[in-house]
Amino acid sequence: DAGVTQSPTHLIKTRGQQVTLRCSPKSGHDTVSWYQQALGQGPQFIFQYYEEEERQRGNFPDRFSGHQFPNYSSELNVNALLLGDSALYLCASSPTKGANEKLFFGSGTQLSVL
Amino acid sequence: AQSVAQPEDQVNVAEGNPLTVKCTYSVSGNPYLFWYVQYPNRGLQFLLKYITGDNLVKGSYGFEAEFNKSQTSFHLKKPSALVSDSALYFCAVRDKAGGGNKLTFGTGTQLKVEL
């Protein structure tokens, strides 16, 4: 049983460009969340998707957007990249959106913005 | 707003000795509390969680954590550390009343276990 898979593993972009990161949740999971982990910091919540809709959002600008597909996979899009967007982007899934659920994390996409 | 503090950037301990990684939290209501571990170039792995009930929670790899409501703490412990326990540990909190399963993480504590 595959866990949470993310692609690509590494990505290099330049300022102003746009990027799309992809995530496939663990089998049986229908809720996907995205986190940004800057170097030396803890992960910061970006948003959560459930039933193909954004359900919760953290303190991130509108340049960060997402999508969830009928098969529960998800994309994170970032427009107009800034140097400060360089980070490890983690996708997490859970079997429901319940507050007592633990999250299963992928290995992340390392984004470097030059 | 919910928050987590991990006061130690790094904890060093000798193999075989007990270890403690500290965490304090702040939420407006009752908390759900979690510990995750991160190995280099990897995502986070779940260790344990406190939802309700017994204040001492047992988790993976021999780790346990004690919930203390009066001190708003949730320290991670292990009776006998292994070199393989060396990793980055994150405490996280979720407000039961907040809905959804958004986690707020601390800044992490690097655990180094030496021979």
Side-chain angles (χ1 to χ4, degrees):
Chain A
D1 174 29
V4 179
T5 58
Q6 293 186 243
S7 63
T9 55
H10 295 82
L11 204 51
I12 299 175
K13 293 286 188 178
T14 56
R15 281 182 302 172
Q17 285 189 312
Q18 179 264 343
V19 68
T20 297
L21 311 182
R22 294 176 176 83
C23 172
S24 292
K26 182 176 170 62
S27 178
H29 289 189
D30 63 6
T31 302
V32 174
S33 302
W34 288 90
Y35 288 78
Q36 180 196 65
Q37 186 178 14
L39 191 63
Q41 300 296 317
Q44 303 248 332
F45 176 77
I46 303 175
F47 42 53
Q48 177 191 80
Y49 277 84
Y50 174 70
E51 291 185 340
E52 302 179 48
E53 290 191 14
E54 184 183 295
R55 300 292 178 170
Q56 279 187 303
R57 189 178 182 92
N59 188 25
F60 280 81
D62 292 344
R63 298 186 298 109
F64 290 77
S65 64
H67 189 77
Q68 186 179 35
F69 299 93
N71 67 353
Y72 309 125
S73 66
S74 177
E75 289 182 349
L76 164 65
N77 301 292
V78 187
N79 294 323
L81 284 166
L82 303 174
L83 296 179
D85 295 332
S86 295
L88 180 66
Y89 288 85
L90 296 166
C91 173
S93 72
S94 59
T96 73
K97 60 180 176 62
N100 63 344
E101 292 287 355
K102 68 182 182 184
L103 300 182
F104 291 77
F105 284 83
S107 296
T109 295
Q110 184 66 56
L111 173 65
S112 298
V113 182
L114 305 178
Chain B
Q2 54 199 40
S3 65
V4 171
Q6 294 182 243
E8 302 154 317
D9 290 336
Q10 181 161 321
V11 169
N12 297 319
V13 64
E15 189 175 51
N17 283 359
L19 70 87
T20 299
V21 182
K22 295 179 180 177
C23 170
T24 59
Y25 66 89
S26 174
V27 294
S28 55
N30 292 314
Y32 289 139
L33 293 157
F34 299 78
W35 277 99
Y36 283 82
V37 60
Q38 187 175 35
Y39 296 97
N41 303 314
R42 299 290 300 276
L44 279 69
Q45 295 179 30
F46 171 80
L47 280 179
L48 51 80
K49 65 179 178 180
Y50 171 81
I51 301 299
T52 188
D54 194 347
N55 289 343
L56 184 64
V57 179
K58 294 189 182 298
S60 307
Y61 313 119
F63 284 93
E64 57 189 28
E66 186 168 10
F67 171 64
N68 188 317
K69 187 173 183 177
S70 63
Q71 296 185 2
T72 61
S73 67
F74 189 57
H75 302 330
L76 181 70
K77 301 182 180 185
K78 187 174 182 181
S80 179
L82 299 172
V83 171
S84 57
D85 292 331
S86 298
L88 185 58
Y89 290 80
F90 289 98
C91 181
V93 68
R94 180 184 293 151
D95 189 340
K96 281 185 186 179
N101 58 21
K102 164 191 171 183
L103 281 175
T104 298
F105 286 87
T107 52
T109 298
Q110 185 70 49
L111 174 65
K112 187 174 182 181
V113 182
E114 300 166 311
L115 290 170

